[in-house]
Amino acid sequence: MVVVMLRGCPESNIEDVIERIHHHPGLSAHLVRGVERTVVGVVGQTFPELKDMLEMLPGVEAVLPISKPYKLSSREFQVEDTTFKVGDVTIGGPDLVVMAGPCAVESEEQVVATARAVKAAGAHILRGGAFKPSTSPYSFRGKGKEGLEILAVARQETGLPIITEVMAPGDVELVAEYTDVLQVGTRNMQNYILLDEVGKANKPVMLKRGFAATIQEWLLSAEYILSQGNRRLMLCERGIRTFETYTRNTMDVSAVPVIHKESHLPVIGDPSHGTGKWDLVTPLALAVVAAGADGLLIEVHPTPDTALKDGAQSLTFENFQRLMEKVAVVAQAVGRPLAPNLAGSATRR
Ligand code: PEP
Ligand code: MN
C-alpha cells in the first residue's frame, strides 16, 4: 500500500510514518518525494488493521492499496517517471539514450576502436560483455576481469560510461568497481540472489527481460532490486521466445508501452538480441523508438564476421552510423529527440 502525505506536511510527520511501518517486522517503508506528492510505500506482509493505523497518523492524506503484485515498480506507487544519470546523460528523461558496443570484449583494440566509432556516431554509453552467459559451455565465455580492465581503458579513452553484465552474486562487487551500470542478463532475470545483490549495489542496474518471462514476472524481478533500496533501475526488452524460428527471438515491441503504462521505470529496446539478424536491427530499433522506448542497446563490432559472439546480429561501424541517422529522425518525430552527441566533448577525463 502507499501512504500519501498531505502536501507541505512537516518532515516529522513523514519520519513518524516511516518509523511506525518499520516497527512491524516484515514491513519496509520506501519514501518517494515526487513533484506532485510525497508517498511512503509499504511493502511486505501487510495486515488488515494497518490501513486504519496509518490513516490516523498526523500528516497522512490517504492510505491506498496497490492492486498489482508488483508494488515499488508500479505506476500506482510512483506516478512520475524514474529518471537517473549515467555519466552526463539522463536515463528516462526527455531524450533518447543509445548504448552500443560489442557483444563480448575480445581485445583492447577491438573495444577502443568500437568505443570511438559509436561515440562519433552519437552513442552515449559503451556496452561490452566481460562475463558472458552462453547457451553452450563451448562458446566464448568472456575475458572476465581482464575484460573489465579493457572496458575501463575504453572509458578512459573516450569518456563514455560503461554498461556490462554481472552473472554471479559474488561478482557484483568486482564488476561494480569497473562499470557505470550493472546489466542483469535474460538468463538471470529470475536469479533472485543476484537481484538482491545488485539491489544493494551503489550502481544503476539494467534488468533484461527473461526470454520466457511474462511482463508481470519481469516487474516482480524488478521488485527484488527496488526493495533492496536501489532505485536507479531500467528495464530492457530483448525479445522473447515464441514459435517463430526465423528470428532468434520475437521482439515484443508492445512491451514498451505496456511497461510505461504499468511502471515508472525506463525501458530500453535491444533489437540486436530481439532479432538476432543484423539487417533486422535497424527496423526494430525504429519500431521501439516509435513505441516510446527510453533508449536503445545495439551490438556493434569492427568486423562482425570474425566476432567471437553474436556476429550475425552485430552492426559494422558504417551500419551503426546509418542506424543512428534513421533513429534521429524517428526520435524527433515522436518527440523523444536523441540525447546530445558527446563526440564534441573531451576524449579523456
Ligand atoms: C548481451 O547483452 O550480450 C546478452 C547476453 O544479452 P541477453 O542477456 O539479453 O541475451
Ligand atoms: Mn550479445
Side-chain angles (χ1 to χ4, degrees), residues 40-289:
V40 182
V42 190
V43 295
Q45 277 138 18
T46 55
F47 45 92
E49 299 79 13
L50 185 65
K51 183 176 178 333
D52 290 346
M53 279 168 51
L54 293 171
E55 242 160 17
M56 283 188 311
L57 294 176
V60 171
E61 185 181 319
V63 177
L64 309 171
I66 297 179
S67 58
K68 303 286 164 48
Y70 38 89
K71 309 290 177 187
L72 302 174
S73 54
S74 73
R75 268 283 174 215
E76 287 172 80
F77 171 62
Q78 184 181 314
V79 180
E80 283 141 20
D81 291 339
T82 282
T83 67
F84 54 88
K85 286 212 137 191
V86 173
D88 294 332
V89 287
T90 301
I91 309 286
D95 297 342
L96 186 81
V97 174
V98 178
M99 313 177 201
C103 178
V105 172
E106 297 169 15
S107 68
E108 184 174 314
E109 198 187 4
Q110 169 233 18
V111 176
V112 171
T114 309
R116 290 210 171 101
V118 299
K119 182 179 179 184
H124 310 98
I125 297 174
L126 175 68
R127 65 143 288 140
F131 292 94
K132 291 304 307 175
S134 260
T135 305
S136 161
Y138 308 122
S139 47
F140 184 52
R141 295 172 69 178
K143 291 182 98 73
K145 186 164 187 281
E146 191 192 339
L148 298 175
E149 283 159 4
I150 292 173
L151 287 168
V153 171
R155 176 175 47 201
Q156 178 73 22
E157 291 292 316
T158 60
L160 289 182
I162 305 291
I163 177 168
T164 197
E165 178 160 356
V166 58
M167 285 170 59
D171 288 342
V172 172
E173 205 178 317
L174 171 73
V175 178
E177 261 173 49
Y178 287 88
T179 197
D180 299 281
V181 182
L182 294 162
Q183 173 173 321
V184 175
T186 192
R187 297 164 182 81
N188 271 320
M189 190 205 83
Q190 287 176 313
N191 180 340
Y192 300 120
I193 312 287
L194 178 64
L195 301 181
D196 279 343
E197 282 310 304
V198 298
K200 288 181 209 151
N202 189 21
K203 282 286 155 97
V205 175
M206 186 176 80
L207 175 65
K208 296 190 108 181
R209 180 179 183 180
F211 55 78
T214 63
I215 286 177
Q216 179 165 309
E217 287 162 344
W218 189 15
L219 288 173
L220 282 167
S221 288
E223 200 72 16
Y224 272 81
I225 298 168
L226 296 170
S227 63
Q228 289 293 342
N230 194 344
R231 304 277 179 81
R232 290 183 294 168
L233 175 61
M234 59 184 134
L235 303 173
C236 176
E237 162 60 42
R238 48 78 70 207
I240 49 174
R241 182 161 288 181
T242 66
F243 55 79
E244 183 56 72
T245 54
Y246 186 93
T247 43
R248 179 176 178 185
N249 290 289
T250 296
M251 186 75 186
D252 184 5
V253 178
S254 68
V256 173
V258 171
I259 291 294
H260 281 151
K261 188 166 133 190
E262 291 296 314
S263 175
H264 49 84
L265 296 170
V267 58
I268 307 300
D270 169 3
S272 302
H273 296 88
T275 63
K277 295 188 169 171
W278 72 268
D279 57 326
L280 299 179
V281 170
T282 298
L284 269 299
L286 300 179
V288 285
V289 169

